[in-house]
Structures are given as structure tokens and as C-alpha cells.
Amino acid sequence: HKSLTSASSSTLTKDQFQQSIQTLATKVQYSTILPLATSMLLVGSSVGVISPIMPFLADKLDLTTTLYGIVVSSFALSKMLGNVPSAILVERHGRKPYLVH
């Protein structure tokens, strides 16, 4: 990587290396991070909000134990149905094409 090599020599001093890493670490690509962060926020908040109130909703909706189990299991099933094909595609083509658009 060009920003990690020194113009005067082929090796970097510790200070040059630390400065290069600091410069690279402070560059944030919001166009890449924002969609991923938003997706993770939505999934995390859905689990964090819905899970604690599910017993209350089941009671108010008069769900049987079986129906309650189906509702709770549907989240795991939908993740599996999305994750398995995604994993196959990522294994076949690599991660980069699916993370960078």
C-alpha cells in the first residue's frame, strides 16, 4: 500500500508506521458503513424491543403455546432462509462484491 511506504527508504520507522495507520484509521467511508450500520441497528432493535414484550402480546392476543412458539421461531427461520443462500453466494464469489456496491 503506497501510504505505508516511505519515499526515502523501503522500511518505515515506528513513528512513520503509527502515523500512516492513524491516517488510514481516521478515514471513514460513510457510503459503505451507513447501510451496514442501519441494517444492524434495525435488526438489533427489533430483537431488543420485540423479545421482552412477546409474552405480553401473546397474553393479549390469546395465543396458545404452539402459536407463540411459531411466532418466536419465525424470526430464526427467516434468518436461516436468508443466511444460507447468502453464505453460498459469499463462498462462491467472495465477500467484497456483496459488501461494496
Side-chain angles (χ1 to χ4, degrees):
H1 197 276
K2 286 188 176 195
S3 62
L4 293 178
T5 59
S6 173
S8 61
S9 69
S10 62
T11 58
L12 292 173
T13 65
K14 182 179 178 182
D15 290 334
Q16 289 172 325
F17 177 75
Q18 288 176 339
Q19 182 62 36
S20 295
I21 294 299
Q22 184 67 29
T23 302
L24 290 172
T26 56
K27 293 179 184 175
V28 177
Q29 295 177 349
Y30 290 104
S31 63
T32 302
I33 292 175
L34 190 60
L36 294 171
T38 303
S39 173
M40 296 304 292
L41 177 70
L42 292 173
V43 169
S45 62
S46 70
V47 171
V49 170
I50 297 299
S51 295
I53 64 169
M54 277 305 293
F56 174 75
L57 287 175
D59 185 48
K60 289 294 180 188
L61 297 173
D62 291 326
L63 294 178
T64 64
T65 307
T66 302
L67 289 175
Y68 178 72
I70 290 170
V71 169
V72 171
S73 300
S74 66
F75 178 74
L77 180 63
S78 65
K79 281 192 62 100
M80 184 183 71
L81 291 175
N83 286 349
V84 170
S86 297
I88 292 169
L89 289 172
V90 167
E91 285 295 319
R92 185 174 298 153
H93 304 287
R95 283 182 270 176
K96 190 171 183 177
Y98 297 99
L99 292 176
V100 179
H101 52 18

